[in-house]
Amino acid sequence: MSTIEDLVDRLRGYLKPEEIQQVRRAYYFAEQAHDGQRRRSGEHYVTHPLAVATILANMHMDHQSLMAAMLHDVIEDTPVTKDALAKQFGETVADLVDGVSKLTQIHFEDKALAQAENFQKMALAMAKDIRVILVKLADRLHNMRTLGALRPDKKRRIARETLDIYSPIAARLGINTIRTELEELGFEGMHPMRYERLKRAVQSVRGNRKQVIREIQNALQTCIDEEELGGKVFGREKHLLSLYRKMRARRKSFSEVMDVYGFRIVTDKVDTCYRILGAIHNLYKPVPGRFKDYIAIPKANGYQSLHTSLIGMNGIPIEVQIRTREMESMANNGIAAHWLYKSEQEESAKGMTGASHARARQWVKGLLEMQQRAGNSLEFIEHVKMDLFPDEVYVFTPKGDIMELPSGATAVDFAYAVHTDVGNSCVAARINRRLSPLSAHLESGQSVEIITAPSARPNLAWLSFVATAKARSAIRHYLKNQQRAESVSLGKRLLNKALDAFDKQYDDIPKSQIEALLKEFQYETEQDLLDAIGLGNRMAFGVARALIGQEGNSAEQDPTPASTNNKLAISGTEGMVTSYARCCHPIPGDPVLGHISSGRGIVIHMDTCRNIADIRDDSNRCVPMDWSEGVTGDFTVVIRVEAEHQKGFIASLAALITEADANIEKITTEERDARLTMVNIEMGITNRVHLAKVMRRIRKLTNVNRITRARR
């Protein structure tokens, strides 16, 4: 078991004596604060913070991070307050501890919601100081190493959380050493039997592979030495979770996955990396399409390396990574490599620079943007999970800048990556200078240009194909605000219509009366009240009566809503709070009635629709409506055609409808008998005149017996 003296010996290699002394002070403070507390394993609790600090010391983290590691459970598990820590160890350490500390115990009905809330607050803490997440990762790593003392169900829950959240975060920050261990321990916790079987299988074949690995390694090393390139070749062990995922994703057997031999070549300069690549391509044949240059175009987490696949002697597949020593350190330690290479002038955590740190800050900034736009913590964590599993594609802006996007990204994702305003107003895209659909998947090397229009706005359908968290959260945020604006506008129209019965308008009502009503109905703002009316959650006539009732309750002031013949006009462009019933499919020209549906706004039905027959006279639930003169848009209608069997009839029918400028959405057929067929056609038309034109064309077909408009 490690002791504080073991840690101090390790710290002497890179910290100053006074900094080591502060770490020692933090340890003794934690030891005293946790006195009497024990872990599930029976060990003294202080062994946990000491182990967390040791993990960070292996990454050469600064003394403040180590102090925070020692004290990270003090605020939650002991009576010590943040102010007390600040007095003892300074504000920076106290803020770090506060950021890392587990949340105040909030009782959630749903564990998923609790996990989401935790991560949301962790993201906010990360924004203040990126070291928070490094301490948190070290804390999680030691907890995973000591899972053995827990119940099986708790093991699986913690392992799942580790694989879903913490391991991807470590990967996103480039800390490969922590990521791989978290994945291995998470795999063992989630699937202990699969882990053991795979582990034994790897151990059994390792002996058979040693000779082959040694021969390939010697051949590669000899090739590099003969060219005097100064690189060192290492064999690369495959991780169990990586093997397991490959077997499942590619549907390959264990022997097929283990047939590939991996090697890493580490050298001194970037130039030498490319020269080594040329030398080994001369030695073994490269596999076409399997070369990746992450040196010229690094991954989002700062990872740099050359990747190539070769066919070795006797047809053995070989995977080789070539990188410099600095890249090797970056691959293993990621953002933590910043502290490893920090110069004397960069001791202040606030003065941190470097590409890896800049990328991490950019990512956290993106997290905050998503957090502000997300409707709730579960939606936020859904976006973050999308962002944490990127298989990157690299595309170019029209100016030649490189943009990195996850695999499966579309032109809409690209537009939002450029800027949220560009995404919100995009209408089309040019990929490699050719017009392409916004839903087209992007591929590495393509040039993408976004065409925008001031009047454009995000489409709900975009959510079905966007791949980035930023695009998804921005679209949802915009649509929520848009729906709010539309429901407020509709709510005001409905309220004015109700107030017509009292010869009043909403703008005529004194502010004092409106404020009194808001207080009575428990709404904070007028917009909240109008939004509730527009969404159908509160009846407009009831609100109107409450407003007028404050002026008096005479019979003249309390008419029935039927006393007004005013009808709401439908323009066809109302947006998300007005919809058209799918039971009767009303179209411009039909007599219509609006049904106020809770949470959906107004659903427009035909006046004769059977589904609203029982409530059509209820003024609280139905609103008289009419079509405006300039109504625009496509409206869905269903027609039913009874025809005699004839070869090619459906094709002729479709051609006639298309010629009449109607858009076919769906066609279904059903046989009446051996002679007759019934065809149901769902199509988009503009009004009743357009529908009549389509039906006249269909009647001209000789085998059509009858054509009617279908209603449920």
Side-chain angles (χ1 to χ4, degrees), residues 579-638:
S579 56
Y580 302 92
R582 294 191 63 80
C583 50
C584 54
H585 291 295
I587 59 174
D590 289 336
V592 287
L593 196 66
H595 170 220
I596 301 172
S597 176
S598 180
R600 291 177 60 194
I602 292 183
V603 181
I604 299 166
H605 290 258
M606 287 183 66
D607 193 88
T608 54
C609 181
R610 287 180 296 177
N611 285 346
I612 58 166
D614 295 340
I615 58 169
R616 55 176 293 113
D617 297 324
D618 185 345
S619 59
N620 283 328
R621 299 173 69 184
C622 288
V623 183
M625 304 197 77
D626 205 354
W627 303 96
S628 65
E629 289 183 14
V631 62
T632 59
D634 278 340
F635 298 85
T636 300
V637 69
V638 178

Side-chain angles (χ1 to χ4, degrees), residues 566-584:
N566 241 357
K567 293 184 178 181
L568 281 183
I570 308 165
S571 65
T573 57
E574 281 77 10
M576 290 178 281
V577 291
T578 303
S579 56
Y580 302 92
R582 294 191 63 80
C583 50
C584 54

Side-chain angles (χ1 to χ4, degrees), residues 85-260:
L85 282 184
K87 285 178 185 175
Q88 282 282 338
F89 303 104
E91 287 290 342
T92 302
V93 173
D95 285 340
L96 281 171
V97 172
D98 192 45
V100 177
S101 290
K102 298 183 182 73
L103 298 170
T104 308
Q105 297 303 312
I106 307 170
H107 296 289
F108 295 98
E109 291 180 13
D110 186 356
K111 284 186 178 177
L113 182 61
Q115 175 185 318
E117 290 276 356
N118 284 6
F119 185 75
Q120 194 166 5
K121 292 203 175 180
M122 188 167 66
L124 295 173
M126 283 160 59
K128 295 179 183 174
D129 195 326
I130 199 72
R131 290 175 293 180
V132 167
I133 191 59
L134 298 175
V135 179
K136 188 74 180 175
L137 286 171
D139 172 45
R140 175 52 61 115
L141 178 57
H142 185 251
N143 282 334
M144 290 300 294
R145 286 174 179 174
T146 54
L147 267 186
L150 302 179
R151 296 192 317 266
D153 61 317
K154 198 168 184 182
K155 276 187 196 177
R156 281 192 296 273
R157 180 179 61 77
I158 294 172
R160 167 58 64 201
E161 187 180 77
T162 299
L163 292 173
D164 281 354
I165 300 296
Y166 292 98
S167 166
I169 288 175
R172 194 64 179 73
L173 297 176
I175 312 170
N176 200 47
T177 48
I178 286 184
R179 176 189 69 83
T180 51
E181 191 174 352
L182 284 176
E183 286 185 348
E184 296 299 284
L185 294 168
F187 180 33
E188 185 180 8
M190 271 296 293
H191 306 294
M193 291 180 67
R194 295 178 207 183
Y195 175 85
E196 278 302 322
R197 287 190 66 181
L198 203 54
K199 185 178 176 183
R200 285 199 298 270
V202 169
Q203 286 170 346
S204 67
V205 301
R206 190 174 286 154
N208 304 332
R209 290 163 53 92
K210 276 184 182 176
Q211 182 59 31
V212 179
I213 290 172
R214 193 178 301 113
E215 287 177 14
I216 299 172
Q217 188 170 342
N218 289 340
L220 290 171
Q221 190 67 61
T222 302
C223 173
I224 293 168
D225 293 343
E226 284 176 355
E227 297 291 335
E228 298 180 355
L229 294 173
K232 183 73 176 168
V233 183
F234 301 92
R236 204 156 46 83
E237 281 287 329
K238 287 192 177 291
H239 299 287
L240 296 183
L241 183 61
S242 172
L243 284 172
Y244 177 68
R245 283 174 173 166
K246 278 184 182 176
M247 288 166 65
R248 292 197 65 179
R250 300 177 187 176
R251 298 186 179 276
K252 289 188 174 182
S253 66
F254 175 73
S255 59
E256 287 176 301
V257 175
M258 285 299 288
D259 274 350
V260 181

Side-chain angles (χ1 to χ4, degrees), residues 665-680:
E665 295 172 8
K666 185 180 177 184
I667 292 183
T668 59
T669 62
E670 54 184 272
E671 288 191 10
R672 279 290 174 89
D673 52 41
R675 189 175 65 87
L676 292 177
T677 296
M678 188 67 74
V679 183
N680 295 308

Side-chain angles (χ1 to χ4, degrees), residues 262-318:
F263 296 90
R264 182 177 297 125
I265 302 173
V266 181
T267 185
D268 54 350
K269 293 186 296 186
V270 170
D271 176 62
T272 312
C273 292
Y274 289 99
R275 291 172 65 194
I276 289 173
L277 178 72
I280 65 170
H281 277 191
N282 265 336
L283 177 67
Y284 297 130
K285 279 187 168 39
V287 178
R290 293 297 304 273
F291 167 66
K292 291 180 181 175
D293 188 346
Y294 292 121
I295 292 180
I297 306 175
K299 287 191 176 185
N301 58 16
Y303 174 86
Q304 288 182 287
S305 188
L306 298 178
H307 288 198
T308 187
S309 294
L310 311 165
I311 301 297
M313 52 191 177
N314 302 320
I316 294 172
I318 303 167

